[in-house]
Amino acid sequence: MAVTIEELYRNYGILADAKPEDLSQHKDAYQVILDGVKGGPKEKRLAAQFIPKFFSSFPELADAAINAQLDLCEDEDVSIRRQAIKELPRFAAGENIVRVADILTQLLQTEDSAEFNQVNTALVSIFKMDAKATLGGLFSQILQGEDIVRERAIKFLSIKLKTMPEDAMTKEVEDYIFTETKKVLEDVTGEEFVLLMRILMVLKGLQTMSGRQQLVELVVEQAFLEQALNPADPDTVDRLLQCTRQALPLFSKNVHSTRFVTYFCDHVLPNLSSLTSPVAELDIQLEVLKLLAEMSPFCGDMEKVETNLTMLFEKLLEFMPLPPETEGENGENTLSDEPKLQFSYVECLLFSFHQLGKKLPDFLIDKINAERLKDFKIRLQYFARGLQVYIRQLRVALQGKTGDALKTEENKIKVVALKITNNINVLIKDLFHNPPSYKSTVTLSWKPVQKAEAVALKRPSGEDMGAGSTMKKQLSPPLPRRDARQIYNPPSGKYSATIGNFSNEQRGGFRGGRGRGFGGRGRGRIY
Protein backbone atom coordinates (compact mmCIF):
# COMPACT_ATOMS: atom_id res chain seq x y z
CA MET A 1 0.00 0.00 0.00
CA ALA A 2 1.34 3.42 -1.02
CA VAL A 3 2.52 5.82 1.66
CA THR A 4 0.21 8.79 2.20
CA ILE A 5 1.02 12.46 2.82
CA GLU A 6 -0.20 12.07 6.42
CA GLU A 7 2.13 9.12 7.04
CA LEU A 8 5.07 11.03 5.65
CA TYR A 9 4.45 14.02 7.89
CA ARG A 10 3.84 11.77 10.95
CA ASN A 11 7.09 9.87 10.49
CA TYR A 12 8.96 13.08 9.68
CA GLY A 13 7.68 14.42 13.02
CA ILE A 14 8.97 11.36 14.82
CA LEU A 15 12.43 11.88 13.41
CA ALA A 16 12.42 15.64 13.86
CA ASP A 17 11.42 15.37 17.51
CA ALA A 18 13.89 12.66 18.39
CA LYS A 19 17.16 13.53 20.09
CA PRO A 20 20.17 13.20 17.75
CA GLU A 21 21.56 10.30 19.75
CA ASP A 22 18.20 8.47 19.56
CA LEU A 23 17.56 8.91 15.82
CA SER A 24 19.04 5.55 14.90
CA GLN A 25 16.28 3.87 16.93
CA HIS A 26 13.66 5.11 14.47
CA LYS A 27 14.79 3.21 11.41
CA ASP A 28 11.21 2.20 10.60
CA ALA A 29 10.15 5.84 10.43
CA TYR A 30 12.93 6.62 7.95
CA GLN A 31 11.96 3.56 5.88
CA VAL A 32 8.44 4.96 5.53
CA ILE A 33 9.93 8.20 4.16
CA LEU A 34 12.01 6.18 1.69
CA ASP A 35 8.85 4.42 0.56
CA GLY A 36 7.38 7.81 -0.26
CA VAL A 37 9.14 7.67 -3.63
CA LYS A 38 6.54 5.09 -4.68
CA GLY A 39 3.64 7.44 -4.01
CA GLY A 40 2.02 10.18 -6.05
CA PRO A 41 3.53 13.55 -7.05
CA LYS A 42 2.89 15.19 -3.67
CA GLU A 43 4.39 12.29 -1.75
CA LYS A 44 7.43 12.26 -4.02
CA ARG A 45 8.07 15.96 -3.51
CA LEU A 46 7.97 15.52 0.26
CA ALA A 47 10.21 12.44 0.08
CA ALA A 48 12.73 14.40 -2.01
CA GLN A 49 13.04 16.89 0.87
CA PHE A 50 12.79 14.48 3.84
CA ILE A 51 15.19 11.72 2.67
CA PRO A 52 18.39 13.85 2.60
CA LYS A 53 17.51 15.60 5.89
CA PHE A 54 18.02 12.41 7.93
CA PHE A 55 20.33 10.57 5.55
CA SER A 56 23.45 10.78 7.73
CA SER A 57 21.68 9.24 10.72
CA PHE A 58 21.04 5.91 9.01
CA PRO A 59 24.29 4.65 7.44
CA GLU A 60 22.87 1.14 7.08
CA LEU A 61 20.20 2.58 4.76
CA ALA A 62 22.61 4.81 2.80
CA ASP A 63 22.40 2.82 -0.44
CA ALA A 64 18.63 2.56 -0.23
CA ALA A 65 18.36 6.32 0.43
CA ILE A 66 20.63 7.30 -2.48
CA ASN A 67 18.79 4.93 -4.81
CA ALA A 68 15.45 6.35 -3.68
CA GLN A 69 16.65 9.90 -4.36
CA LEU A 70 18.04 8.79 -7.71
CA ASP A 71 14.62 7.40 -8.63
CA LEU A 72 13.21 10.85 -7.99
CA CYS A 73 15.94 12.42 -10.12
CA GLU A 74 14.66 10.31 -13.00
CA ASP A 75 10.95 10.95 -12.42
CA GLU A 76 8.73 11.97 -15.34
CA ASP A 77 7.65 15.11 -13.46
CA VAL A 78 10.29 17.78 -14.05
CA SER A 79 9.42 19.64 -10.82
CA ILE A 80 10.09 16.46 -8.82
CA ARG A 81 13.38 15.94 -10.66
CA ARG A 82 14.49 19.50 -9.91
CA GLN A 83 13.65 19.14 -6.22
CA ALA A 84 15.51 15.84 -5.99
CA ILE A 85 18.56 17.21 -7.82
CA LYS A 86 18.61 20.28 -5.61
CA GLU A 87 18.93 18.04 -2.54
CA LEU A 88 21.57 15.66 -3.95
CA PRO A 89 24.58 17.55 -2.53
CA ARG A 90 23.31 16.68 0.97
CA PHE A 91 24.22 13.05 0.24
CA ALA A 92 27.79 14.03 -0.67
CA ALA A 93 29.78 12.90 2.34
CA GLY A 94 32.74 10.58 2.65
CA GLU A 95 32.77 7.78 0.11
CA ASN A 96 29.42 8.91 -1.31
CA ILE A 97 30.83 12.07 -2.96
CA VAL A 98 32.24 10.22 -5.98
CA ARG A 99 28.93 8.42 -6.45
CA VAL A 100 26.90 11.62 -6.16
CA ALA A 101 29.25 13.37 -8.60
CA ASP A 102 28.88 10.46 -11.00
CA ILE A 103 25.07 10.68 -10.76
CA LEU A 104 25.04 14.45 -11.25
CA THR A 105 27.38 14.15 -14.23
CA GLN A 106 24.99 11.70 -15.88
CA LEU A 107 22.15 14.12 -15.22
CA LEU A 108 23.92 16.76 -17.35
CA GLN A 109 22.28 15.10 -20.36
CA THR A 110 18.91 16.67 -19.51
CA GLU A 111 17.37 18.91 -22.17
CA ASP A 112 15.46 21.00 -19.61
CA SER A 113 17.41 24.25 -19.12
CA ALA A 114 16.27 24.85 -15.51
CA GLU A 115 17.10 21.27 -14.58
CA PHE A 116 20.46 21.56 -16.34
CA ASN A 117 21.28 24.69 -14.34
CA GLN A 118 20.26 22.88 -11.16
CA VAL A 119 22.68 20.05 -11.96
CA ASN A 120 25.47 22.56 -12.61
CA THR A 121 24.79 24.29 -9.31
CA ALA A 122 24.82 20.98 -7.45
CA LEU A 123 28.11 19.93 -9.05
CA VAL A 124 29.75 23.22 -8.12
CA SER A 125 28.44 22.80 -4.57
CA ILE A 126 30.00 19.36 -4.05
CA PHE A 127 33.18 20.44 -5.86
CA LYS A 128 33.70 22.99 -3.09
CA MET A 129 33.20 20.22 -0.50
CA ASP A 130 35.69 17.77 -2.03
CA ALA A 131 37.20 18.75 -5.36
CA LYS A 132 39.16 15.56 -6.03
CA ALA A 133 36.25 13.24 -5.28
CA THR A 134 33.93 15.31 -7.47
CA LEU A 135 36.46 15.21 -10.28
CA GLY A 136 36.57 11.44 -9.86
CA GLY A 137 32.88 11.23 -10.71
CA LEU A 138 33.22 13.66 -13.61
CA PHE A 139 36.21 11.96 -15.20
CA SER A 140 34.62 8.53 -14.72
CA GLN A 141 31.79 9.63 -17.00
CA ILE A 142 34.12 11.46 -19.41
CA LEU A 143 36.12 8.28 -19.91
CA GLN A 144 33.29 5.75 -19.89
CA GLY A 145 29.96 7.56 -20.22
CA GLU A 146 27.64 8.24 -23.11
CA ASP A 147 28.78 10.75 -25.72
CA ILE A 148 26.32 13.47 -24.65
CA VAL A 149 27.35 13.07 -21.00
CA ARG A 150 31.05 13.12 -21.90
CA GLU A 151 30.62 16.23 -24.04
CA ARG A 152 28.75 18.14 -21.35
CA ALA A 153 31.07 17.05 -18.55
CA ILE A 154 34.08 18.35 -20.50
CA LYS A 155 32.28 21.63 -21.18
CA PHE A 156 31.34 21.90 -17.49
CA LEU A 157 35.00 21.64 -16.48
CA SER A 158 36.16 24.03 -19.19
CA ILE A 159 33.72 26.69 -17.98
CA LYS A 160 33.54 26.16 -14.23
CA LEU A 161 37.06 25.18 -13.28
CA LYS A 162 38.43 28.71 -13.57
CA THR A 163 35.71 29.99 -11.22
CA MET A 164 36.45 27.57 -8.38
CA PRO A 165 37.92 29.00 -5.15
CA GLU A 166 41.70 28.82 -4.83
CA ASP A 167 41.57 26.72 -1.67
CA ALA A 168 39.75 24.00 -3.60
CA MET A 169 42.37 23.94 -6.36
CA THR A 170 45.23 22.41 -4.41
CA LYS A 171 48.36 20.97 -6.01
CA GLU A 172 46.97 17.48 -5.45
CA VAL A 173 43.76 18.42 -7.26
CA GLU A 174 45.62 20.04 -10.16
CA ASP A 175 47.89 17.01 -10.50
CA TYR A 176 44.83 14.77 -10.60
CA ILE A 177 43.22 16.92 -13.32
CA PHE A 178 46.40 16.77 -15.39
CA THR A 179 46.72 12.99 -15.03
CA GLU A 180 43.08 12.29 -15.89
CA THR A 181 43.05 14.75 -18.78
CA LYS A 182 46.03 12.98 -20.33
CA LYS A 183 43.98 9.77 -20.29
CA VAL A 184 41.08 11.53 -22.01
CA LEU A 185 43.40 12.98 -24.65
CA GLU A 186 44.20 9.48 -25.89
CA ASP A 187 40.89 9.50 -27.79
CA VAL A 188 39.30 12.88 -28.52
CA THR A 189 37.56 14.90 -31.17
CA GLY A 190 38.89 18.28 -32.24
CA GLU A 191 36.37 20.22 -30.19
CA GLU A 192 37.13 18.11 -27.11
CA PHE A 193 40.85 18.72 -27.57
CA VAL A 194 40.33 22.49 -27.56
CA LEU A 195 38.19 22.33 -24.41
CA LEU A 196 40.61 20.02 -22.60
CA MET A 197 43.51 22.34 -23.39
CA ARG A 198 41.43 25.21 -22.01
CA ILE A 199 40.98 23.21 -18.80
CA LEU A 200 44.71 22.59 -18.45
CA MET A 201 45.66 26.18 -19.20
CA VAL A 202 43.83 27.49 -16.12
CA LEU A 203 45.84 25.29 -13.75
CA LYS A 204 48.29 27.41 -11.76
CA GLY A 205 50.93 24.70 -11.80
CA LEU A 206 50.99 24.74 -15.59
CA GLN A 207 51.37 28.49 -15.95
CA THR A 208 55.08 28.35 -15.15
CA MET A 209 57.70 27.92 -17.85
CA SER A 210 58.05 24.20 -17.12
CA GLY A 211 54.26 23.87 -17.02
CA ARG A 212 53.87 25.48 -20.43
CA GLN A 213 56.57 23.16 -21.74
CA GLN A 214 54.56 20.18 -20.47
CA LEU A 215 51.52 21.47 -22.32
CA VAL A 216 53.52 21.90 -25.51
CA GLU A 217 54.66 18.27 -25.18
CA LEU A 218 51.01 17.20 -24.89
CA VAL A 219 50.12 19.13 -28.04
CA VAL A 220 53.10 17.68 -29.90
CA GLU A 221 51.84 14.18 -29.08
CA GLN A 222 48.42 15.06 -30.48
CA ALA A 223 49.88 16.71 -33.59
CA PHE A 224 51.73 13.56 -34.70
CA LEU A 225 54.74 15.60 -35.78
CA GLU A 226 56.74 12.42 -36.23
CA GLN A 227 54.50 11.47 -39.16
CA ALA A 228 54.51 12.83 -42.68
CA LEU A 229 51.61 15.10 -43.60
CA ASN A 230 48.93 13.85 -45.97
CA PRO A 231 47.86 17.12 -47.62
CA ALA A 232 44.86 15.49 -49.30
CA ASP A 233 43.26 14.43 -46.00
CA PRO A 234 41.23 17.27 -44.48
CA ASP A 235 41.22 15.58 -41.06
CA THR A 236 45.00 15.38 -40.96
CA VAL A 237 45.27 19.02 -41.99
CA ASP A 238 42.64 20.03 -39.44
CA ARG A 239 44.48 18.16 -36.69
CA LEU A 240 47.65 20.12 -37.44
CA LEU A 241 45.78 23.43 -37.51
CA GLN A 242 44.02 22.78 -34.20
CA CYS A 243 47.18 21.61 -32.46
CA THR A 244 49.20 24.56 -33.71
CA ARG A 245 46.53 27.02 -32.59
CA GLN A 246 46.55 25.49 -29.11
CA ALA A 247 50.33 25.57 -28.91
CA LEU A 248 50.68 29.20 -30.08
CA PRO A 249 49.81 30.94 -26.78
CA LEU A 250 52.26 28.66 -24.96
CA PHE A 251 55.33 29.69 -26.94
CA SER A 252 57.77 32.24 -25.56
CA LYS A 253 61.47 33.02 -25.62
CA ASN A 254 61.95 30.09 -23.24
CA VAL A 255 59.29 27.69 -24.56
CA HIS A 256 60.25 27.18 -28.18
CA SER A 257 58.20 26.49 -31.28
CA THR A 258 61.10 24.76 -33.03
CA ARG A 259 59.42 21.40 -33.67
CA PHE A 260 56.32 23.00 -35.14
CA VAL A 261 58.28 25.45 -37.31
CA THR A 262 60.50 22.62 -38.54
CA TYR A 263 57.48 20.47 -39.36
CA PHE A 264 55.86 23.32 -41.30
CA CYS A 265 59.05 23.85 -43.31
CA ASP A 266 59.55 20.11 -43.93
CA HIS A 267 56.00 18.99 -44.60
CA VAL A 268 53.56 21.88 -44.97
CA LEU A 269 55.32 24.41 -47.22
CA PRO A 270 56.30 21.81 -49.85
CA ASN A 271 52.62 20.80 -50.04
CA LEU A 272 51.12 24.26 -49.64
CA SER A 273 49.23 24.33 -52.92
CA SER A 274 47.80 20.82 -52.44
CA LEU A 275 46.50 21.23 -48.88
CA THR A 276 42.85 20.24 -48.51
CA SER A 277 40.91 22.68 -46.37
CA PRO A 278 38.77 21.12 -43.61
CA VAL A 279 36.34 24.04 -43.94
CA ALA A 280 35.02 25.15 -47.32
CA GLU A 281 35.34 28.91 -46.76
CA LEU A 282 38.81 28.73 -45.17
CA ASP A 283 41.80 29.93 -47.21
CA ILE A 284 43.97 27.05 -46.04
CA GLN A 285 47.19 28.36 -47.60
CA LEU A 286 46.94 31.70 -45.87
CA GLU A 287 45.91 30.05 -42.62
CA VAL A 288 49.02 27.88 -42.38
CA LEU A 289 51.26 30.78 -43.43
CA LYS A 290 49.80 32.93 -40.67
CA LEU A 291 50.40 30.18 -38.11
CA LEU A 292 53.99 29.78 -39.29
CA ALA A 293 54.56 33.54 -39.08
CA GLU A 294 53.20 33.68 -35.52
CA MET A 295 55.41 30.80 -34.40
CA SER A 296 58.62 31.92 -36.08
CA PRO A 297 59.73 34.50 -33.44
CA PHE A 298 59.81 31.73 -30.81
CA CYS A 299 61.84 29.23 -32.80
CA GLY A 300 64.95 28.02 -30.97
CA ASP A 301 68.07 26.41 -32.37
CA MET A 302 67.34 24.41 -35.50
CA GLU A 303 69.26 21.47 -36.94
CA LYS A 304 68.45 22.45 -40.52
CA VAL A 305 68.37 26.25 -40.54
CA GLU A 306 69.74 26.51 -44.07
CA THR A 307 67.32 23.90 -45.42
CA ASN A 308 64.35 25.58 -43.78
CA LEU A 309 65.39 29.03 -44.98
CA THR A 310 65.81 27.65 -48.49
CA MET A 311 62.26 26.29 -48.40
CA LEU A 312 60.92 29.66 -47.21
CA PHE A 313 62.99 31.43 -49.87
CA GLU A 314 61.63 29.18 -52.65
CA LYS A 315 58.06 29.64 -51.45
CA LEU A 316 58.54 33.40 -51.21
CA LEU A 317 59.68 33.48 -54.85
CA GLU A 318 56.41 31.83 -55.86
CA PHE A 319 54.43 34.73 -54.43
CA MET A 320 56.75 37.53 -55.55
CA PRO A 321 56.45 37.84 -59.36
CA LEU A 322 58.94 39.26 -61.79
CA PRO A 323 58.00 42.52 -63.55
CA PRO A 324 56.05 41.92 -66.78
CA GLU A 325 58.32 41.87 -69.83
CA THR A 326 55.89 43.33 -72.35
CA GLU A 327 54.99 46.99 -72.30
CA GLY A 328 52.42 49.16 -74.03
CA GLU A 329 53.14 51.92 -76.54
CA ASN A 330 53.66 54.46 -73.76
CA GLY A 331 56.10 52.23 -71.92
CA GLU A 332 53.44 51.26 -69.39
CA ASN A 333 52.67 47.75 -68.26
CA THR A 334 49.78 46.25 -70.17
CA LEU A 335 46.85 45.21 -67.99
CA SER A 336 46.81 41.66 -69.38
CA ASP A 337 50.39 41.08 -68.20
CA GLU A 338 49.91 42.61 -64.78
CA PRO A 339 50.73 40.07 -62.05
CA LYS A 340 48.60 39.64 -58.98
CA LEU A 341 50.40 40.68 -55.82
CA GLN A 342 49.22 38.48 -52.97
CA PHE A 343 50.10 40.81 -50.15
CA SER A 344 48.72 38.70 -47.27
CA TYR A 345 50.76 35.66 -48.31
CA VAL A 346 53.91 37.71 -48.82
CA GLU A 347 53.58 39.39 -45.42
CA CYS A 348 53.52 35.97 -43.71
CA LEU A 349 56.38 34.50 -45.74
CA LEU A 350 58.59 37.58 -45.50
CA PHE A 351 58.03 37.80 -41.75
CA SER A 352 58.90 34.10 -41.25
CA PHE A 353 61.95 34.42 -43.51
CA HIS A 354 63.03 37.55 -41.64
CA GLN A 355 62.71 35.80 -38.25
CA LEU A 356 64.58 32.64 -39.24
CA GLY A 357 67.11 34.70 -41.19
CA LYS A 358 68.42 36.04 -37.89
CA LYS A 359 69.75 32.53 -37.23
CA LEU A 360 71.78 32.52 -40.45
CA PRO A 361 72.38 36.19 -41.40
CA ASP A 362 74.68 35.34 -44.33
CA PHE A 363 72.09 33.12 -46.04
CA LEU A 364 71.37 35.55 -48.88
CA ILE A 365 75.07 36.27 -49.34
CA ASP A 366 76.77 32.88 -49.03
CA LYS A 367 74.02 30.32 -49.56
CA ILE A 368 72.27 31.77 -52.63
CA ASN A 369 74.17 32.09 -55.92
CA ALA A 370 74.59 35.52 -57.46
CA GLU A 371 72.10 34.92 -60.28
CA ARG A 372 69.32 33.84 -57.95
CA LEU A 373 70.04 36.70 -55.56
CA LYS A 374 69.81 39.16 -58.47
CA ASP A 375 66.49 37.60 -59.47
CA PHE A 376 65.23 37.88 -55.89
CA LYS A 377 66.17 41.54 -55.63
CA ILE A 378 64.40 42.32 -58.92
CA ARG A 379 61.27 40.75 -57.50
CA LEU A 380 61.67 42.66 -54.23
CA GLN A 381 62.15 45.92 -56.11
CA TYR A 382 59.08 45.33 -58.28
CA PHE A 383 57.00 44.52 -55.22
CA ALA A 384 58.36 47.56 -53.37
CA ARG A 385 57.46 49.92 -56.25
CA GLY A 386 53.90 48.69 -56.19
CA LEU A 387 53.79 49.00 -52.41
CA GLN A 388 54.92 52.62 -52.38
CA VAL A 389 52.16 53.70 -54.75
CA TYR A 390 49.58 51.59 -53.00
CA ILE A 391 50.52 52.92 -49.55
CA ARG A 392 50.19 56.50 -50.80
CA GLN A 393 46.80 55.76 -52.29
CA LEU A 394 45.56 54.13 -49.09
CA ARG A 395 46.73 57.05 -46.96
CA VAL A 396 44.99 59.53 -49.24
CA ALA A 397 41.80 57.47 -49.15
CA LEU A 398 41.85 57.29 -45.34
CA GLN A 399 43.08 60.80 -44.61
CA GLY A 400 40.71 62.79 -42.42
CA LYS A 401 38.52 59.78 -41.62
CA THR A 402 37.95 59.05 -37.94
CA GLY A 403 35.51 57.22 -35.69
CA ASP A 404 32.53 55.68 -37.46
CA ALA A 405 33.90 56.58 -40.88
CA LEU A 406 36.74 54.10 -40.34
CA LYS A 407 34.31 51.37 -39.30
CA THR A 408 32.66 50.95 -42.67
CA GLU A 409 33.45 47.67 -44.41
CA GLU A 410 35.31 49.45 -47.21
CA ASN A 411 37.50 51.47 -44.88
CA LYS A 412 38.21 48.49 -42.64
CA ILE A 413 39.60 46.75 -45.68
CA LYS A 414 41.77 49.75 -46.55
CA VAL A 415 43.07 50.11 -43.00
CA VAL A 416 44.08 46.47 -42.74
CA ALA A 417 45.62 46.73 -46.22
CA LEU A 418 47.69 49.66 -45.01
CA LYS A 419 49.01 47.59 -42.10
CA ILE A 420 49.97 44.73 -44.43
CA THR A 421 51.67 46.92 -47.00
CA ASN A 422 53.56 48.90 -44.37
CA ASN A 423 54.82 45.66 -42.81
CA ILE A 424 56.01 44.30 -46.14
CA ASN A 425 57.68 47.60 -46.96
CA VAL A 426 59.67 47.58 -43.70
CA LEU A 427 60.80 43.97 -44.22
CA ILE A 428 61.81 44.54 -47.84
CA LYS A 429 63.92 47.54 -46.83
CA ASP A 430 65.77 45.31 -44.35
CA LEU A 431 66.55 42.75 -47.04
CA PHE A 432 67.83 45.48 -49.40
CA HIS A 433 70.55 46.42 -46.93
CA ASN A 434 74.05 45.33 -47.83
CA PRO A 435 74.52 42.98 -46.12
CA PRO A 436 70.81 42.13 -45.48
CA SER A 437 69.58 43.23 -42.09
CA TYR A 438 67.19 41.44 -39.76
CA LYS A 439 66.79 44.12 -37.12
CA SER A 440 63.44 45.75 -37.89
CA THR A 441 60.39 44.84 -35.85
CA VAL A 442 56.84 44.73 -37.14
CA THR A 443 53.53 43.56 -35.69
CA LEU A 444 51.72 41.12 -37.94
CA SER A 445 48.68 42.76 -39.49
CA TRP A 446 46.13 40.49 -37.79
CA LYS A 447 47.69 40.84 -34.33
CA PRO A 448 46.62 43.55 -31.85
CA VAL A 449 48.68 46.71 -32.12
CA GLN A 450 50.39 47.95 -28.98
CA LYS A 451 49.49 51.53 -28.02
CA ALA A 452 53.08 52.60 -28.46
CA GLU A 453 52.86 51.49 -32.07
CA ALA A 454 49.68 53.39 -32.83
CA VAL A 455 50.28 55.70 -35.76
CA ALA A 456 49.07 59.18 -36.47
CA LEU A 457 46.43 60.46 -38.86
CA LYS A 458 48.05 59.23 -42.05
CA ARG A 459 48.47 55.81 -40.53
CA PRO A 460 45.26 54.99 -38.63
CA SER A 461 45.67 53.49 -35.20
CA GLY A 462 45.25 49.81 -34.50
CA GLU A 463 42.10 50.60 -32.54
CA ASP A 464 40.54 52.05 -35.69
CA MET A 465 41.58 49.11 -37.78
CA GLY A 466 38.91 46.71 -36.71
CA ALA A 467 41.45 43.93 -36.24
CA GLY A 468 38.75 41.32 -35.98
CA SER A 469 37.07 42.28 -39.22
CA THR A 470 36.94 39.80 -42.09
CA MET A 471 37.80 40.59 -45.67
CA LYS A 472 35.15 39.57 -48.14
CA LYS A 473 36.51 40.68 -51.48
CA GLN A 474 39.72 41.26 -53.36
CA LEU A 475 41.31 44.58 -52.64
CA SER A 476 41.66 46.94 -55.55
CA PRO A 477 43.38 50.33 -55.60
CA PRO A 478 41.20 52.98 -53.93
CA LEU A 479 41.91 55.64 -56.56
CA PRO A 480 40.46 55.56 -60.09
CA ARG A 481 42.52 53.49 -62.53
CA ARG A 482 43.33 56.37 -64.86
CA ASP A 483 44.80 58.43 -61.99
CA ALA A 484 46.87 55.51 -60.82
CA ARG A 485 48.29 54.80 -64.29
CA GLN A 486 49.66 58.33 -64.60
CA ILE A 487 52.34 57.46 -62.06
CA TYR A 488 52.50 53.67 -61.81
CA ASN A 489 49.95 50.97 -62.28
CA PRO A 490 50.15 48.98 -59.04
CA PRO A 491 49.26 45.31 -59.40
CA SER A 492 45.96 44.49 -57.74
CA GLY A 493 46.26 42.85 -54.34
CA LYS A 494 44.63 39.61 -53.36
CA TYR A 495 43.38 39.50 -49.78
CA SER A 496 41.94 36.51 -48.05
CA ALA A 497 38.58 36.24 -46.34
CA THR A 498 40.47 35.36 -43.17
CA ILE A 499 42.70 38.43 -43.09
CA GLY A 500 41.42 39.41 -39.64
CA ASN A 501 42.01 37.64 -36.35
CA PHE A 502 41.24 33.95 -36.14
CA SER A 503 40.29 32.38 -32.84
CA ASN A 504 41.98 29.25 -31.58
CA GLU A 505 38.88 27.17 -31.63
CA GLN A 506 36.45 28.75 -34.05
CA ARG A 507 36.76 26.15 -36.79
CA GLY A 508 35.59 23.10 -35.01
CA GLY A 509 36.62 19.50 -34.81
CA PHE A 510 37.46 16.40 -36.74
CA ARG A 511 35.56 13.65 -38.43
CA GLY A 512 35.58 9.93 -38.74
CA GLY A 513 38.27 7.52 -37.75
CA ARG A 514 38.92 5.70 -34.53
CA GLY A 515 41.90 5.01 -32.34
CA ARG A 516 44.19 7.34 -30.47
CA GLY A 517 44.07 11.03 -31.13
CA PHE A 518 41.62 13.31 -32.92
CA GLY A 519 38.75 11.87 -34.82
CA GLY A 520 38.15 9.07 -32.34
CA ARG A 521 34.91 7.95 -30.73
CA GLY A 522 33.02 8.33 -34.01
CA ARG A 523 31.69 11.71 -33.00
CA GLY A 524 31.92 13.35 -36.37
CA ARG A 525 33.07 16.79 -37.30
CA ILE A 526 31.75 19.73 -35.34
CA TYR A 527 31.80 23.25 -36.70
Side-chain angles (χ1 to χ4, degrees), residues 102-163:
D102 190 286
I103 293 168
L104 284 168
T105 305
Q106 293 181 60
L107 292 171
L108 285 170
Q109 64 188 292
T110 178
E111 297 303 325
D112 180 86
S113 58
E115 186 178 348
F116 181 77
N117 291 336
Q118 191 73 63
V119 174
N120 272 263
T121 301
L123 274 171
V124 170
S125 176
I126 67 170
F127 192 102
K128 293 176 180 178
M129 298 179 196
D130 189 330
K132 187 176 178 181
T134 304
L135 288 164
L138 282 159
F139 276 108
S140 172
Q141 286 300 317
I142 290 173
L143 288 166
Q144 302 171 18
E146 296 294 323
D147 283 0
I148 183 64
V149 174
R150 171 188 171 98
E151 174 189 330
R152 293 187 179 181
I154 291 174
K155 285 183 178 177
F156 170 84
L157 286 174
S158 71
I159 294 169
K160 300 294 185 181
L161 208 56
K162 58 190 174 188
T163 67

Side-chain angles (χ1 to χ4, degrees), residues 181-229:
T181 300
K182 286 176 70 175
K183 295 177 185 176
V184 181
L185 282 169
E186 292 178 3
D187 184 8
V188 292
T189 65
E191 184 184 36
E192 289 171 347
F193 172 66
V194 171
L195 293 174
L196 289 166
M197 288 302 298
R198 189 178 296 168
I199 290 169
L200 294 178
M201 286 181 182
V202 304
L203 303 181
K204 294 191 298 291
L206 294 178
Q207 292 173 10
T208 61
M209 184 184 76
S210 61
R212 291 198 310 275
Q213 188 62 57
Q214 286 185 72
L215 290 176
V216 169
E217 296 299 329
L218 271 183
V219 179
V220 167
E221 288 180 18
Q222 291 294 321
F224 291 176
L225 297 185
E226 74 282 0
Q227 297 181 8
L229 178 71

Side-chain angles (χ1 to χ4, degrees), residues 487-512:
I487 44 175
Y488 174 81
N489 185 12
S492 58
K494 179 182 177 183
Y495 288 80
S496 165
T498 52
I499 202 168
N501 286 334
F502 60 77
S503 72
N504 281 341
E505 64 277 344
Q506 68 188 21
R507 296 191 183 99
F510 301 70
R511 68 171 161 191

